[in-house]
Amino acid sequence: MSEAYDVIVVGLGGMGSAAAYHLASRGQRVLGLERFTPAHDKGSSHGGSRIIRQSYFEDPAYVPLLLRSYELWEKLARDSGREVYRVTGGLFSGSPDCVTVSGSRRAAEEWSLPHEVFEATEVNSRFPNFALPQGDIAVYEAMAGFARPEITVQAHIDLAVREGATLNFGERVCDWTETADGVRVTTDRASYTAGQLVICPGAWAPQLLAEFNIPITIERQVLYWLDPIGGTAAFENQPIFIHENASGMQVYGFPAIDGPAGGVKVAFFRKGVVCTPESIDRVVHPQEIAEMRADVSGLLPALDGPCLHSATCMYSNTPDEHFVIARHPDTVNVTVACGFSGHGFKFVPVVGEVLADLAMTGATDHPIDLFDPLRLVTL
């Protein structure tokens, strides 16, 4: 049976669930298709927490999107009645000229974002869990914090349904084609037509977007929850952090947000191995845990305790580590959002808004030129 919709959204993870909500809230007849269960743990939008921040060391061009995203985080929390995010403050530390520090300062100064710069001794005094090496400094941003990925995805799903969207789970997309007046999407259950298609494939981008020639590499990443020596109480109100060592490796972490038995979540940033969603090793090995403990305990000595829990997720990396968000260059009926390269979740609410703009009008007032896929397309 074929049903007609205004917009079909493929993939209902972070970006897709937000797009489905924004489209439905604007009166569009929306069909969302997801191969797994709501707020699943098979892709990238899971793990209990994701850092949010505004002094963006990746590129100051992201800051206007972040400011709008913060507004939409607050709206989502209000509309859903859930704690989808929390502001804790954030420390971005390392040598004065490292990317984490210099990039954060550059973005904060260019956009007049409130921030402070601390020497190592001041960091260690004000935040006694830390033992920042002498010679390092930290940019402190009071507005940094974390989002709750599973809660966020579920909130967008619930609000999309409340606005009239039809969301089908456990339904795998097999193919899509253009039609005379839109698109046809074929799944393992049925066939659907719509005027517009929004594809948010996450780690499945290389398969679903193969014909776009967008180079995306999938990487396995590992998350760790360590049991602090002395318990979690001292970590409950600490800021999120990103620290860059002398070799350029970044480690990041969060407050203890899941109670005394929940530990403290930490991870390496971009220390992964290439994989596919089918080949990813979901087992976290003892040597990986030992390496994480050895590294992070040099910065936070109490985190030399046992690992309570670990998990894997996937990054979808473009060569320049910037996103892909655009109408398909060869059709006005297809919009893609992919390649979020390990730093996309903080943008989920505003990307949903952008995708709704593009699907409905073909343009957006948000600054997204940086994310044009033509910069990456291999001919």
Side-chain angles (χ1 to χ4, degrees):
M1 183 179 75
S2 179
E3 297 184 51
Y5 296 88
D6 295 320
V7 187
I8 296 173
V9 179
V10 174
L12 294 173
M15 306 306 174
S17 63
Y21 161 63
H22 280 280
L23 286 160
S25 71
R26 299 183 192 183
Q28 296 293 287
R29 294 172 298 164
V30 176
L31 171 65
L33 299 170
E34 168 59 55
R35 65 189 296 165
F36 298 112
T37 56
H40 63 83
D41 63 355
K42 303 298 189 295
S44 303
S45 298
H46 63 279
S49 54
R50 289 289 187 276
I51 285 175
I52 60 173
R53 51 193 167 91
Q54 296 180 355
S55 52
Y56 217 57
F57 60 76
E58 288 85 348
D59 195 311
Y62 284 85
V63 173
L65 291 170
L66 287 162
L67 297 177
R68 176 56 178 163
S69 200
Y70 266 68
E71 295 175 349
L72 292 172
W73 280 116
E74 176 57 29
K75 184 177 187 302
L76 180 63
R78 185 171 61 250
D79 291 348
S80 68
R82 301 176 186 177
E83 188 190 43
V84 293
Y85 82 109
R86 186 188 306 174
V87 171
T88 63
L91 286 169
F92 313 122
S93 61
S95 66
D97 60 349
C98 76
V99 171
T100 304
V101 172
S102 64
S104 297
R105 292 185 74 171
R106 176 188 170 202
E109 290 166 1
E110 184 170 322
W111 290 96
S112 300
L113 302 174
H115 67 287
E116 300 175 79
V117 179
F118 299 144
E119 302 291 332
T121 53
E122 188 170 5
V123 170
N124 300 340
S125 174
R126 292 184 57 163
F127 307 100
N129 290 330
F130 287 84
L132 195 66
Q134 293 304 307
D136 282 3
I137 65 173
V139 176
Y140 177 75
E141 179 196 316
M143 287 302 296
F146 63 87
R148 288 284 207 174
E150 293 91 341
I151 296 174
T152 296
V153 171
Q154 192 63 58
H156 275 135
I157 287 170
D158 292 346
L159 289 172
V161 171
R162 187 186 305 175
E163 294 289 347
T166 299
L167 306 183
N168 294 355
F169 295 91
E171 185 167 358
R172 182 174 62 87
V173 171
C174 301
D175 191 22
W176 63 269
T177 56
E178 289 188 81
T179 65
D181 54 0
V183 293
R184 180 180 301 278
V185 175
T186 303
T187 75
D188 54 6
R189 293 187 194 174
S191 178
Y192 309 95
T193 59
Q196 291 287 322
L197 174 62
V198 175
I199 306 177
C200 302
W204 287 262
Q207 295 97 311
L208 285 176
L209 302 178
E211 70 279 9
F212 292 5
N213 295 318
I214 298 171
I216 293 179
T217 302
I218 309 305
E219 287 189 355
R220 171 185 180 269
Q221 303 291 328
V222 183
L223 315 172
Y224 307 83
W225 286 260
L226 303 180
D227 191 15
I229 297 169
T232 58
F235 285 82
E236 290 176 358
N237 296 311
Q238 85 162 26
I240 60 94
F241 69 90
I242 303 173
H243 177 71
E244 183 175 336
N245 66 20
S247 68
M249 177 57 66
Q250 293 167 308
V251 62
Y252 65 93
F254 299 82
I257 61 177
D258 294 316
V264 174
K265 179 185 168 186
V266 294
F268 291 113
F269 187 48
R270 302 194 187 285
K271 185 178 175 63
V273 296
V274 175
C275 68
T276 69
E278 294 74 31
S279 70
I280 181 174
D281 182 0
R282 296 286 185 180
V283 176
V284 178
H285 301 278
Q287 67 270 24
E288 294 179 298
I289 295 171
E291 184 180 8
M292 184 77 257
R293 287 178 58 194
D295 189 286
V296 77
S297 64
L299 181 67
L300 295 102
L303 292 187
D304 199 20
C307 184
L308 299 173
H309 172 56
S310 59
T312 59
C313 71
M314 289 178 284
Y315 286 1
S316 304
N317 298 323
T318 60
D320 62 7
E321 298 175 357
H322 296 308
F323 310 155
V324 172
I325 306 174
R327 277 277 184 95
H328 187 289
D330 297 325
T331 175
V332 298
N333 301 318
V334 180
T335 301
V336 297
C338 60
F340 289 97
S341 297
H343 63 113
F345 200 87
K346 60 185 69 65
F347 297 91
V348 157
V350 71
V351 169
E353 189 171 67
V354 168
L355 293 175
D357 291 343
L358 294 177
M360 293 179 65
T361 69
T364 181
D365 290 335
H366 291 297
I368 63 168
D369 290 347
L370 184 61
F371 313 138
D372 188 337
L374 292 179
R375 76 187 194 277
L376 302 171
V377 169
T378 57
L379 302 176

